[in-house]
Amino acid sequence: MTTNNDEKYILPYGKLIRVMVDLAGKTARQVSREIGRSDSYITSVIYNSAPPNTELLVEIARACGFELTLTGHGHTFEIPTADELKQLYDGSRLAITTITDPDGTKSIEVEWKKLEDIKKEIAERKKHATDRDKRLQELKSKKR
């Protein structure tokens, strides 16, 4: 099978995993051992109709030199392994903010933030909204 970076494939999970193992130049047994499973694990996944869970699929892909990503709407997100998530976590949370520009264009900002910083931002937004509501109420009262 010849591949290049521009080709896209839609394959059942078993075939996809078989291709990743083959392209990595490894045996199913080697990959099974690298992800800490029994020697026959990858072979059973290849021939089983049920897909592995996302965490295992990420580990299999990484063991074969691939990354699992989500792509769409002009963005690409890499799906980390469970171990990578633990390293990233360290008291942080993934903060996802939708931003609407004045021209109506929407974009997404994704970053890791400390939980206490997120709580402060939420408190500030609530305070700002409360202050705004009070000013509006005062304006309405003056008009009467």
Side-chain angles (χ1 to χ4, degrees):
M1 167 193 254
T2 16
T3 62
N4 69 43
N5 292 337
D6 296 331
E7 294 181 41
K8 293 184 181 182
Y9 299 93
I10 298 175
L11 300 171
Y13 285 97
K15 288 185 180 181
L16 172 67
I17 292 167
R18 173 85 264 162
V19 168
M20 287 192 300
V21 170
D22 289 346
L23 288 173
K26 297 180 177 182
T27 66
R29 177 178 288 172
Q30 286 173 311
V31 175
S32 294
R33 287 180 178 172
E34 284 181 38
I35 64 169
R37 298 292 174 144
S38 68
D39 286 357
S40 61
Y41 178 77
I42 294 296
T43 301
S44 70
V45 170
I46 289 170
Y47 294 105
N48 188 346
S49 59
N53 65 40
T54 304
E55 184 179 321
L56 280 172
L57 187 57
V58 171
E59 288 181 18
I60 293 166
R62 292 288 175 84
C64 294
F66 289 88
E67 292 178 356
L68 196 60
T69 60
L70 297 173
T71 305
H73 304 283
H75 298 279
T76 299
F77 300 96
E78 181 180 335
I79 301 174
T81 64
D83 287 340
E84 289 170 337
L85 274 178
K86 286 176 192 170
Q87 290 173 4
L88 287 172
Y89 178 68
D90 75 353
S92 300
R93 296 288 190 274
L94 189 61
I96 302 174
T97 308
T98 303
I99 301 166
T100 304
D101 293 333
D103 67 357
T105 305
K106 288 188 177 186
S107 60
I108 297 174
E109 182 181 279
V110 181
E111 62 182 320
W112 286 98
K113 291 185 176 181
K114 295 282 184 193
L115 188 55
E116 58 269 10
D117 292 340
I118 294 172
K119 287 179 180 178
K120 285 179 190 174
E121 286 179 20
I122 291 170
E124 287 173 15
R125 287 180 191 166
K126 284 181 180 177
K127 183 183 180 319
H128 177 72
T130 302
D131 291 346
R132 183 192 65 227
D133 291 346
K134 284 180 185 176
R135 286 193 305 270
L136 287 172
Q137 198 64 19
E138 288 171 4
L139 288 172
K140 287 180 183 177
S141 296
K142 287 181 182 178
K143 286 185 178 181
R144 290 182 192 160

